[in-house]
Amino acid sequence: QVPLVESGGGLVQAGGSLRLSCAASGRTFNRYAIGWFRQAPGKERECVAAISWPGGSTYYADSVKGRFTVSRDNAKNTVYLHMNSLKPEDTAVYYCARGSSSRAHKSSEDYDYWGQGTQVTVSS
């Protein structure tokens, strides 16, 4: 089992920003793409962003494009999700996941290890 730990969630007002982090000890992320997913109550899990190994190629859902930025610091074995101009619709539990390859994919079927999630709540 590969433990992934998300952090940085919290409560923020609409229009605000948060930075989520996904970290693991060792070199767990080397050679693998990392995806960010979210799930709101009563809704299906969706991929909001993903980044390839070693970086440079990214995917963004239309709902977050232009507002969210995914990046990675491979030396620190950490992946970030910068969330700007947050909307109440962004409220969800956010998960990071390790891909089964180096490519950035949007399908959850392409990811094999998942973190426990961090709650993001955006108030009106």
Side-chain angles (χ1 to χ4, degrees):
Q1 186 175 5
V2 179
L4 307 178
V5 180
E6 302 97 335
S7 62
L11 175 64
V12 64
Q13 292 184 342
S17 300
L18 287 173
R19 187 185 74 171
L20 306 184
S21 298
C22 175
S25 60
R27 294 182 287 275
T28 300
F29 294 160
N30 286 9
R31 299 285 184 177
Y32 298 101
I34 301 296
W36 283 99
F37 296 77
R38 69 184 181 188
Q39 187 165 26
K43 297 186 180 296
E44 295 184 352
R45 183 173 296 186
E46 63 172 339
C47 182
V48 297
I51 186 166
S52 65
W53 169 266
S57 295
T58 56
Y59 162 81
Y60 295 100
D62 289 341
S63 58
V64 308
K65 196 171 298 181
R67 300 188 297 118
F68 290 11
T69 302
V70 61
S71 62
R72 63 192 304 165
D73 186 337
N74 295 328
K76 298 174 64 176
N77 207 24
T78 302
V79 177
Y80 304 98
L81 184 67
H82 295 82
M83 310 166 67
N84 300 314
S85 302
L86 283 163
K87 306 175 181 179
E89 307 93 273
D90 296 318
T91 296
V93 177
Y94 284 72
Y95 302 87
C96 67
R98 194 188 79 173
S100 56
S101 74
S102 63
R103 301 183 185 91
H105 294 295
K106 66 179 180 180
S107 174
S108 62
E109 297 178 348
D110 295 316
Y111 296 85
D112 50 10
Y113 293 98
W114 297 75
Q116 295 300 304
T118 185
Q119 176 71 48
V120 172
T121 302
V122 184
S123 62
S124 300

